[in-house]
Amino acid sequence: MNKIIFAFVLGLFVLTGCDNQTQTESTAQTASEKSAFSENKIYFFYSNYCPHCHAALTYIKAKHPSLELSMVNVENAGGYKLLLQAVKEYKIGGSSVGTPFLLMGKNYLMGWAPEYETQFENYVQPFVK
């Protein structure tokens, strides 16, 4: 039940608040603005109650035990705010926002299933030491 409520609230915020820019704000943004997200980090947005988050983390730790992840809990106000910022910056729309959400440079993965493993492996290569 908590997962359904969380998904509904998240979808509501995304649909109503993320793309609400005025013309002045849109014009004021330039290509020179810096991202809040480092291209040298992997951001792992998660929820404690998300089974797909646990599956993704288990896979990542098993395959890449030394991989550094910046863990962002979307259940915290700061983590949720950062998620909304990522959604806006990466131009992810609608109800497709959820966890796990991994930002890897200019690439991202939303959700997790065994068929995502190949795509993850392609995206993670620049971060593997």
Side-chain angles (χ1 to χ4, degrees):
M1 183 67 168
N2 286 340
K3 189 174 179 182
I4 293 170
I5 293 170
F6 175 76
F8 175 77
V9 171
L10 182 61
L12 184 63
F13 277 113
V14 170
L15 291 173
T16 61
C18 288
D19 293 324
N20 197 14
Q21 286 186 339
T22 65
Q23 182 63 25
T24 307
E25 290 171 330
S26 180
T27 309
Q29 290 183 333
T30 65
S32 64
E33 284 186 17
K34 294 199 178 206
S35 171
F37 306 98
S38 169
E39 289 192 18
N40 299 321
K41 286 185 175 181
I42 297 176
Y43 297 88
F44 188 100
F45 293 84
Y46 71 97
S47 167
N48 292 327
Y49 302 103
C50 171
H52 302 291
C53 295
H54 293 287
L57 194 56
T58 299
Y59 173 85
I60 293 167
K61 292 298 181 186
K63 295 288 185 175
H64 305 282
S66 63
L67 189 65
E68 293 182 30
L69 301 173
S70 293
M71 302 297 291
V72 182
N73 187 342
V74 300
E75 294 173 26
N76 299 327
Y80 184 71
K81 183 178 178 182
L82 198 58
L83 173 67
L84 293 179
Q85 190 172 353
V87 165
K88 185 175 182 179
E89 188 172 316
Y90 281 72
K91 296 176 178 55
I92 301 166
S95 61
S96 63
V97 177
T99 57
F101 177 47
L102 292 109
L103 293 181
M104 298 170 276
K106 299 220 183 268
N107 299 307
Y108 70 87
L109 280 177
M110 181 85 58
W112 189 263
E115 55 269 14
Y116 287 25
E117 293 172 4
T118 302
Q119 190 173 11
F120 173 81
E121 291 300 330
N122 290 332
Y123 290 165
V124 81
Q125 287 310 307
F127 300 94
V128 176
K129 296 177 183 177

